[in-house]
Amino acid sequence: MNFQDLDHSLGKLQTRKKNATKIAPFVALAILFTLIPIYYPSMHPKKLSQVLSSSSLVPLPDSNTQHQSNNSSNSSTTQQVNVTKSDDHVSVAPQEARIINSTDEKCDLFSGEWVENQEAPYYTNMTCFTIQEHQNCMKYGRPDTDFLKWKWKPDGCELPIFDAHQFLEFVRGKSLAFVGDSVARNHMQSLICLLSKVVYPIDVSNSTDQENRRWEYRDYNFNMSIFWAPYLVKANKTEPNNIYQPFNLYLDEPDESWSTKIQDFDYVIISSGHWFSRPTMFYLNHTLVGCLFCSQPNVSQMTSFFSYQKAFHTAFQTINSLKNYKGVTFLRTFAPSHFEDGVWDKGGDCVRTTPFKRNEKVLDDYNLEFYKIQLQELMVAQKQGKMRNLKFRLFDATQAMLLRADGHPSKYGHWPKPNVTFSNDCVHWCLPGPIDVWNDFLLELMKREESHR
């Protein structure tokens, strides 16, 4: 799937922060102390949940008030998540992260910063055959390599670098599924590349496309699969031969391309994000209830937050309803894009060569809303899953990747062509590149899961 096909309207949702209004001294000092924490939470280390009303968190806003009743059943069961927004970063409060992951670990893997690592990278585009062309930044002439020389350092501990031998022994006799869009595939390909230091897998896919693949590591009786489900729920094209037209989303029906196939997997990593910014038609109970960026008359314009919340709610509810599923489900949180100086189809680019420092970038706007939605729905799923002892775990990639605007292919996913204009790719990740840290996270999360059984 080409990058141009991924994010039709992603950049359009990005907004600039408003500058704080200067207030004359002594006019209303008491009001000033009250308003600053409310309107500028990034200036105050309070949790957002303490300054935002629960109605602004659950259910999340849509532009059509007549559908608030549709959300009421979800809001009654959805727990409010404490998300801390400070000058440094936004993340789940450490105590919340431990609750979400049901561990006694004192170290939050996902709160930290990037530090130099001169030993990286651990594979190249010459040693790994699964790198897709549009992520093969070295092949297509990216001139800098410093972006490869970093690793993630949690605040309270060390995150071990991925050990291919250890991983393969750990997953011996097990299975792993990735469910999501092309960024999920990007993650799986990173894992295959890291494992290629030890062994190459056998492709046993039933299809020839890149969207649904299955790989086997027969010496270890381990297999992994990718299930293409960019919306997680049932979706189809309004015009079968034109992917630029709106998609129909049936927000209360799971996508059976994955939901009917994961019951026997030991681990499932579920993720999605960027496709929800495309034009879409929203259906509930087979009835059109609204749309995003559609031109049809008499159809209520709604937000991507509405469809995002519904889709994750349906996906997790579906997993909880699978009678024979006994695996561990990881929610891999949203990885922000990094278009600067324009949206994706208007010259936006990502030309940085080093990571942001943690105090240079704050999660905000729609990225923050997507993140909160995921955490809220994860906690709902955990509550429902307790009755069957199903495990739902947090795999929080958001903060780490927010800081890595330097890790995208930009224009280095193809050769330039005369008289042809390509959009820059600031959504996917170079291989090798920052996305490799996701497998550092994955192995550590698996080890922690095993140690707490």
Side-chain angles (χ1 to χ4, degrees):
M1 180 66 64
N2 292 330
F3 163 69
Q4 291 93 331
D5 298 339
L6 256 178
D7 298 298
H8 181 69
S9 306
L10 181 62
K12 296 179 182 178
L13 297 178
Q14 296 178 351
T15 57
R16 297 180 179 273
K17 291 184 178 179
K18 295 181 181 179
N19 294 325
T21 304
K22 296 182 178 179
I23 302 175
F26 308 113
V27 174
L29 191 58
I31 297 176
L32 178 63
F33 287 138
T34 302
L35 292 181
I36 285 179
I38 295 176
Y39 288 99
Y40 305 102
S42 63
M43 298 171 61
H44 194 288
K46 271 191 176 182
K47 296 172 182 176
L48 283 186
S49 60
Q50 295 173 345
V51 295
L52 297 176
S53 68
S54 60
S55 61
S56 69
L57 285 171
V58 183
L60 280 111
D62 65 69
S63 58
N64 188 1
T65 56
Q66 72 176 349
H67 294 293
Q68 288 179 351
S69 61
N70 292 332
N71 290 338
S72 61
S73 61
N74 292 340
S75 63
S76 65
T77 57
T78 301
Q79 301 180 38
Q80 184 168 305
V81 176
N82 293 329
V83 181
T84 301
K85 182 176 181 181
S86 68
D87 289 333
D88 291 336
H89 64 288
V90 176
S91 66
V92 188
Q95 66 272 21
E96 294 275 358
R98 291 198 296 275
I99 292 171
I100 288 176
N101 274 0
S102 300
T103 74
D104 297 325
E105 300 289 344
K106 295 181 180 180
C107 176
D108 176 9
L109 292 176
F110 310 119
S111 177
E113 59 186 339
W114 292 91
V115 298
E116 291 187 17
N117 176 27
Q118 293 302 315
E119 295 181 5
Y122 299 95
Y123 63 91
T124 72
N125 62 318
M126 301 299 292
T127 64
C128 182
F129 67 87
T130 59
I131 300 176
Q132 287 187 271
E133 293 296 283
H134 63 283
Q135 295 151 14
N136 199 339
C137 305
M138 297 296 99
K139 174 181 177 178
Y140 290 107
R142 177 163 177 167
D144 62 299
T145 58
D146 287 348
F147 77 100
L148 300 172
K149 304 293 185 179
W150 298 87
K151 67 178 181 179
W152 182 250
K153 172 64 174 68
D155 290 331
C157 60
E158 292 292 332
L159 175 63
I161 296 296
F162 184 85
D163 184 320
H165 288 281
Q166 186 182 58
F167 181 89
L168 287 167
E169 288 298 334
F170 187 85
V171 297
R172 185 183 289 275
K174 298 178 182 178
S175 55
L176 169 65
F178 295 84
V179 177
D181 56 20
S182 55
V183 180
R185 184 171 64 235
N186 203 173
H187 181 193
M188 183 194 72
Q189 290 164 341
S190 165
L191 178 57
I192 293 175
C193 287
L194 288 166
L195 294 176
S196 67
K197 294 177 62 175
V198 177
V199 64
Y200 287 105
I202 298 172
D203 187 348
V204 294
S205 308
N206 293 323
S207 63
T208 57
D209 61 57
Q210 291 294 320
E211 296 178 346
N212 296 281
R213 313 296 294 170
R214 179 181 172 89
W215 304 88
E216 290 185 354
Y217 292 80
R218 292 182 175 172
D219 290 345
Y220 297 87
N221 190 25
F222 167 65
N223 67 79
M224 71 170 77
S225 298
I226 175 76
F227 295 104
W228 174 254
Y231 291 113
L232 302 179
V233 295
K234 179 182 176 181
N236 56 42
K237 302 171 186 175
T238 54
E239 294 186 18
N241 298 320
N242 188 347
I243 67 168
Y244 295 102
Q245 293 302 309
F247 277 66
N248 295 317
L249 297 191
Y250 301 88
L251 295 168
D252 51 359
E253 299 180 49
D255 183 344
E256 293 186 353
S257 68
W258 68 268
S259 65
T260 61
K261 297 180 173 65
I262 66 164
Q263 292 200 88
D264 296 328
F265 280 85
D266 297 286
Y267 302 100
V268 175
I269 302 174
I270 191 167
S271 61
S272 192
H274 297 292
W275 278 68
F276 285 83
S277 298
R278 297 171 55 93
T280 38
M281 312 296 293
F282 303 148
Y283 290 82
L284 290 171
N285 195 26
H286 302 286
T287 301
L288 181 64
V289 297
C291 70
L292 175 69
F293 302 135
C294 72
S295 58
Q296 285 83 338
N298 302 320
V299 178
S300 299
Q301 293 286 337
M302 302 174 76
T303 70
S304 58
F305 307 141
F306 174 81
S307 57
Y308 202 61
Q309 184 267 330
K310 292 291 187 185
F312 271 95
H313 186 82
T314 297
F316 287 144
Q317 193 173 54
T318 299
I319 293 173
N320 267 317
S321 70
L322 297 175
K323 293 182 179 179
N324 297 322
Y325 178 65
K326 302 184 184 301
V328 179
T329 303
F330 292 107
L331 166 65
R332 196 268 295 157
T333 59
F334 185 66
S337 60
H338 294 91
F339 291 97
E340 297 186 70
D341 300 323
V343 295
W344 75 269
D345 58 346
K346 303 295 182 185
D349 204 355
C350 38
V351 298
R352 297 177 184 270
T353 57
T354 57
F356 285 111
K357 295 188 180 301
R358 64 192 304 172
N359 61 350
E360 294 177 329
K361 191 73 171 173
V362 175
L363 191 68
D364 57 9
D365 300 325
Y366 78 96
N367 288 320
L368 179 57
E369 292 302 321
F370 274 18
Y371 181 66
K372 290 192 295 184
I373 289 169
Q374 288 184 310
L375 300 187
Q376 289 163 352
E377 290 305 321
L378 177 63
M379 294 185 75
V380 172
Q382 289 179 323
K383 183 177 180 180
Q384 295 174 345
K386 282 183 178 179
M387 289 190 281
R388 290 184 48 217
N389 198 30
L390 287 182
K391 301 177 179 65
F392 290 84
R393 301 292 186 249
L394 176 66
F395 183 152
D396 193 339
T398 302
Q399 177 59 28
M401 305 316 283
L402 176 70
L403 306 180
R404 293 310 305 266
D406 58 319
H408 300 289
S410 178
K411 64 182 178 181
Y412 300 108
H414 50 77
W415 296 120
K417 294 182 180 180
N419 303 317
V420 177
T421 300
F422 294 96
S423 296
N424 299 308
D425 186 350
C426 302
V427 172
H428 299 97
W429 303 93
C430 293
L431 292 178
I435 196 174
D436 293 326
V437 79
W438 292 6
N439 295 304
D440 299 350
F441 286 145
L442 178 59
L443 178 54
E444 183 63 21
L445 288 171
M446 287 178 168
K447 288 159 59 178
R448 288 187 176 190
E449 190 65 38
E450 187 67 24
S451 70
H452 284 89
R453 285 189 176 181

